[in-house]
Amino acid sequence: MRLNRVYVDAALSAGLRVELPAAAGVHLAKVLRVRSGDELVVFAGDGYEYPASVESVRGTRVAVAIGEARAVDRESPLAVTLVQCIARADRMDVIVQKATELGVARIVPVQSRRGVVRLESAQAQSKAAHWRAIAVSACEQCGRNRLPAVEAPRRLIDYLGSLPPDFARVGTRLLLEPGAEARGAAPIGGEVTIAIGPEGGLDDEEIGAFRLAGFEAMRLGPRVLRAETAAIAALAWLQGRYGDLDQQPRA
């Protein structure tokens, strides 16, 4: 039976007694109805997971005893950064969730000129916290013991301007662009950044900025994909061809 997994934002070690986060306590106590002695797994994002047993349930407050650390590596050998023009409504939530499940190492939300989402500074910080919580939940579900970095939203031009100019030494940079040529067989390994535009597409100046930053335009098939479909398809393609989707599970 697969044990429930809970992320704890704290240093963990064998023998500790830890009260689980409030949201996890509500879910475990009220939905799953755990009892003293029930087993689960906790992790802190450091690459380890810890067997744990429920010591007490008081209302929605759940305390657990931590067991011995286990180094369980479920990270892809391909370090993928997803540069995602912010999609509207809950589409961005889906992108963050699925990108996490597909092993992305870093998510950079950006605001482009034709994008329909506009965030002020306070809203940007709130959204970043919301997306990080989604990434945590996805890690709990998919078994990852390291959290992807989810950055605060910023302007696309500001992001591109912050990149090191010597792009030939920092991995592959790809821009998914309808109408581009299919990518050749040049190998990808180690680090790769893939950028996905907004629903309304990028303007010419933004595309030019990507070119100057060393991004290679590519497409996935002959059809125009929605923003959320494009992100999932691109990450699945990268992990299937150069990452670990075709590998056997690791212990």
Side-chain angles (χ1 to χ4, degrees), residues 101-142:
E101 292 176 19
L102 287 164
V104 74
R106 179 174 170 234
I107 301 172
V108 183
V110 293
Q111 300 185 78
S112 57
R113 290 173 179 164
R114 293 179 180 171
V116 298
V117 177
R118 292 287 181 268
L119 300 173
E120 300 299 330
S121 178
Q123 292 175 306
Q125 294 301 323
S126 176
K127 278 292 186 184
H130 172 71
W131 292 327
R132 288 175 189 135
I134 289 174
V136 165
S137 179
C139 285
E140 290 175 336
Q141 183 276 325
C142 74

Side-chain angles (χ1 to χ4, degrees), residues 169-212:
R169 297 187 180 181
V170 292
T172 304
R173 292 177 180 171
L174 303 172
L175 169 63
L176 208 62
E177 186 181 337
E181 295 294 325
R183 189 174 188 276
I188 292 175
E191 297 183 13
V192 59
T193 298
I194 188 157
I196 312 294
E199 290 95 335
L202 299 166
D203 67 20
D204 291 341
E205 185 177 344
E206 290 170 330
I207 292 174
F210 272 112
R211 298 281 192 276
L212 289 174

Side-chain angles (χ1 to χ4, degrees), residues 16-135:
L16 280 181
R17 183 182 186 275
V18 175
E19 184 169 311
L20 298 181
V26 170
H27 181 69
L28 290 169
K30 297 301 183 183
V31 179
L32 300 180
R33 299 188 180 279
V34 297
R35 296 290 183 267
S36 295
D38 287 353
E39 296 181 344
L40 63 154
V41 173
V42 297
F43 67 103
D46 58 358
Y48 294 88
E49 63 183 29
Y50 300 78
S53 61
V54 175
E55 278 202 339
S56 65
V57 180
R58 295 184 175 89
T60 60
R61 300 177 65 178
V62 179
V64 299
I66 306 297
E68 294 291 338
R70 301 185 300 218
V72 181
D73 182 14
R74 298 190 180 98
E75 297 305 301
S76 172
L78 188 66
V80 182
T81 293
L82 172 65
V83 179
Q84 177 68 53
C85 290
I86 301 171
R88 59 186 171 184
D90 62 351
R91 295 178 183 177
M92 193 66 185
D93 294 1
V94 171
I95 291 169
V96 172
Q97 181 189 65
K98 302 310 177 189
T100 301
E101 292 176 19
L102 287 164
V104 74
R106 179 174 170 234
I107 301 172
V108 183
V110 293
Q111 300 185 78
S112 57
R113 290 173 179 164
R114 293 179 180 171
V116 298
V117 177
R118 292 287 181 268
L119 300 173
E120 300 299 330
S121 178
Q123 292 175 306
Q125 294 301 323
S126 176
K127 278 292 186 184
H130 172 71
W131 292 327
R132 288 175 189 135
I134 289 174

